[in-house]
Amino acid sequence: MISASMPVPPGFAITAFAYEKFIEETRIAQKIYEIIKETVTDTNDPKQYDAASKKIRELIEKTQMPKTIEEAIRSAYKELNKRLNLKDTFVAVRSSATAEDLPDASFAGQQETFLNTKGIDDLLDKTRKCWSSLFTPRAIFYRNEKGFPHEKVFISVGVQKMVNSRAAGVMFTINPVTGDREEIMIEGNYGLGETVVSGIVNPDDFLLDKKTLNIKSRRIANKTIMYLRDPATGKTVHLDVPEAKRKEFCISEDEVMRLGQHAKLIEEHYGKPMDIEWAIDQDLPFPKNMFIVQARPETVWSGKTMETASGEEKKTGEQLKVVVKGLAAGKRGYGFGVAKVVLSPEDASVQMQKGDVLVTDMTNPDFVPFMKIASAIVTDKGGVTSHAAIVSRELAIPCIVGTETATKVMVTGKQYTVDSRNGIVYEGFLADAAKPTQQTAAGKAEVVMMGAAPVTATKIYMNLGVPDKINDFMDLPFEGIGLMRTEFILASYIGEHPMHFVDTGESQRFVDKLADGVAQVARAIQPRPVVVRFSDFKTNEYRELKGGDKYEIVEQNPMLGWRGCSRYISKWYIQAFKLECQAIKKCRIEWGLKNVYVMLPMVRTVWEVKKCLEIMREEGLERGKDFKVWFMAETPSIAIMADEFSKLCDGFSIGSNDMTQGILMIDRDSERLGAMGYFDERDPAVKRIIAHLIKIAHANGCTVSICGEGPSNLPDFAEFLVRQGIDSISVNNDAITSTKNLVASLEQKIILERLAEQAALASGKPLKKPTQDWEWPQ
Ligand code: PEP
Ligand code: MG
């Protein structure tokens, strides 16, 4: 890029030849390849890749570098310092494998980059680490998969002066969503580009016409977090973006234009669509402040889909082969990418790359990091209330669940289009997938500001799974979080079994982490309430957590087993439940977050819930004016005995997922029954029980909410609930605005109907109301 006159930060390269010389002269080359051969005997076992990687990386990092290479690096760094007139320049140390970024195989991101490196010792250390990153588990797996001989891949190291970035991001010389080559997409955030590359924030984006560089569209994202370099230590610090700057574009129009020009020239230089990282230095004036820090071929749309993107190979649904069908879930729309059939999170950690289609048996909370980078998700098992369905919806990713056979018929490395409106997976690229849809990306969803939304007497709450997603949804018109699942925080932030913390004397660390996750949301939305549900892992899911197999039994029916309250009062979990209580107390008492309420899941009997409340009281959590305790209504028993339970809580929240399962006695995860239409919250038996619960709870002074998936998916079910006088409805982020509008119109309709009824009564001709199928016989 320097030779193409691109503004690249000054620096130097430690060539691939230097690496080759290092492994040859020190005679470790042969050892490296032998380790792979001996350790990876089963190419599908991620643990073997991990083991090989560990051994090789240790070998490379511990081997002394030949003097000649060390001297060359020393003098190049000295020269750079001299050129910049600085003592020890902060540099970025980036690796680049020689087989990286071949047109049909992006190896990008498999080797490591180290920012803010300073001083020669640190630089030498990071150089060795870059070299050894040629053998990350992912990289070894990829070369095996693509058939690249390990002996033929080398690695060079780029050393560049760190840009002191004010704003940074990525740009594509092709529209990354539709594959249109006439467009350039620029994405950016304040500070270092890492927040954009890793997907931590929703960046601002600009879509440019490649010919004229006119801006065709632009979107401001609510940018809450930025990473900056601390000038004293050189360390990256994470900061909140000041309120006033969050809703301003992070770069000016002139800067957008200049980036567009660079993007065009880079594409011309390489002769193919490119994926580019850029940064704007805060210490320099425009246009000298614009830097290109990395460029590589774009691989999702290029290569195999070149023709597709230019319009020749686009096919309609009739022309493409249907590979598998299932239940539509997640974001309704299309996902397109290369499939990765991964049967465990470890497997996913080795194989999954950004933009891949994740194909698995069923996801669990440990899959979330890989779900975040997937273009679509397809599972064999599960129904519309399964983990994959719930989380993909929150992450705004197309998803199909319950296909029964996806992991057998979809093939790793092949491209597919996932149509999550109709629950169909096609082989290849479906033309419709390229059309812009009405669906918007996560976080940029149906943003109707609080003030612009209609007022409803029935409160509309939001279900939240992944705590850091709250920043994306702040502007939606919800009145609180009606369900925050503790187990999602446990899995994404903590990853270890709670009892493992107890047994290793690290209870406080668990409390702190859990409290952090809850507080992040409670702070962001206060004074709106956050109803935190104590953990409701099932035995099969808890076992997946670190140390989990020691504490979890194997159950035939985990859905009907040791979950919810039955855990808290048992000798095998009580200590951990106490820690969950302490985390809530920490939020409320230490941090003053009085908007944190709690909810007990899987309540089956009065006696067990009394015991739970007693433990909570001992831990300093007692119901009061500003501390509400809700029970989830997920079992037939709690609804049937609602009068008794009402004496012990402030309100109920209907878990219609489990309630439907319990009333109809169907495993909610059964893909077979799901596909046959059995799982339906609108079944008269389910409605009858819900109507009964609302009536009895209200008669006994308790409120009723609902947090199952039902009202998010089924507007007629939401209507039924409003007509029964439910107090609040908690739905997924993408259903907030539509539910709010629906409820507002319904409430007005109900008032009009009541007026008509009264008028008819007064005129002596009372209206005859049809009996509903779910009503109890008189
Ligand atoms: C429910 O059962 O409806 C519910 C919201 O809880 P979960 O889906 O986590 O079991
Ligand atoms: Mg439930």
Side-chain angles (χ1 to χ4, degrees), residues 300-315:
V300 175
W301 290 93
S302 315
K304 287 180 192 143
T305 56
M306 290 280 189
E307 313 83 323
T308 322
S310 63
E312 285 159 32
E313 246 192 29
K314 287 177 190 166
K315 292 198 172 142

Side-chain angles (χ1 to χ4, degrees), residues 485 533 536 563 601-602 632 634 655 657-659 668:
R485 292 176 166 99
R533 180 179 79 182
D536 188 24
R563 51 180 292 207
M602 248 318 122
M632 285 199 71
E634 296 169 296
N657 307 338
D658 279 314
M659 182 64 94
R668 61 192 253 196

